[in-house]
Amino acid sequence: MKTLFLGGDQRYLEIIKHFEDKEYEIDVVGYENAPIGNKVNKIEINNVNIGLYDIIFLPIGGVKENYQIECVFSDEKVVLNKDIFNGIKEKSLIFTGIKTKRLSEMLENVKANVTYLLDDKEILKENSVATAEGTIGDIIFNTNHTINGSNIFILGYGNIGKELTDKLIGLGANVTVGVILFDDFRKLMEKQINCIYTFNQFLMEKIISNSDVIINTVPKLIIDEHYLKS
């Protein structure tokens, strides 16, 4: 099986290793600085012949608005041609994390089988756990105080927010969660977890000013210049 990895992060290294063990033929783009074996071919995006591949992996974050893809193991930006999938094999498998506008446009007339990994509840759960643990690691290494006893403000109560809330409370942190939905607020109140509505400016200012760590799990700007200056 001939496989192509177009960008990606640490999570894909495990898949690459697994495919190596199965003796797949593997090409990767955007892995110049990755710790991968000699059996893996590191190629440039301009040298990709899409019609050769049976399996194609795109980053978990899909394709961005400017057709750029995430390549954490490269110092160079990798931008895809919008027509890169023209000529792909009909039975090829494409894997990515999420469906983005640009990616949907690129795959509109493609007959390959596309799987969005984060539509899978089990994979979504595993990804949330890994993200939460990585965030806690960042807190430990980038602050000069313990998590135990720290005031931590988490914005959002989705999959990642829930994992972080449970883990940080388990480590002894004083956690407050900022939400916008009544259902999330109700669930948190039932669990006796401190929570506020993020549209309550007065409470937002109060919590932010007393927080040692603020974590935004919401995919948009919440803590703007107003809150940073207050």
Side-chain angles (χ1 to χ4, degrees), residues 16-57:
I16 291 171
K17 186 178 184 304
H18 178 71
F19 282 8
E20 275 189 285
D21 293 340
K22 290 184 173 293
E23 298 186 353
Y24 285 16
E25 188 177 348
I26 305 168
D27 291 343
V28 296
V29 174
Y31 284 78
E32 291 86 351
N33 304 322
I36 51 181
N38 295 327
K39 294 180 182 179
V40 178
N41 305 308
K42 297 179 181 180
I43 64 174
E44 300 290 333
I45 187 63
N46 295 331
N47 294 328
V48 170
N49 182 349
I50 207 70
L52 298 177
Y53 300 101
D54 304 294
I55 304 173
I56 299 168
F57 281 86

Side-chain angles (χ1 to χ4, degrees), residues 69-170:
I69 55 174
E70 181 184 35
C71 300
V72 302
F73 299 109
S74 177
D75 297 324
E76 304 293 330
K77 292 182 179 179
V78 176
V79 179
L80 302 183
N81 185 303
K82 65 179 181 179
D83 299 319
I84 189 173
F85 296 112
N86 290 356
I88 195 173
K89 295 179 182 179
E90 286 192 13
K91 293 184 178 181
S92 291
L93 304 176
I94 298 176
F95 294 92
T96 185
I98 60 174
K99 182 185 296 185
T100 61
K101 179 181 178 182
R102 288 290 177 241
L103 181 56
S104 295
E105 292 172 355
M106 295 167 76
L107 297 175
E108 187 174 3
N109 299 314
V110 171
K111 295 181 180 180
N113 296 304
V114 184
T115 298
Y116 298 97
L117 297 171
L118 294 190
D119 284 347
D120 186 302
K121 291 184 178 179
E122 282 302 312
I123 293 176
L124 186 59
K125 173 69 174 176
E126 291 177 9
N127 184 65
S128 298
V129 171
T131 302
E133 291 178 354
T135 302
I136 291 171
D138 286 340
I139 295 171
I140 292 170
F141 288 111
N142 292 290
T143 60
N144 57 6
H145 46 74
T146 63
I147 288 177
N148 185 282
S150 293
N151 296 322
I152 298 180
F153 185 28
I154 299 173
L155 293 160
Y157 198 59
N159 290 290
I160 295 173
K162 290 173 183 174
E163 284 292 331
L164 279 168
T165 299
D166 291 345
K167 290 182 185 303
L168 288 168
I169 288 175

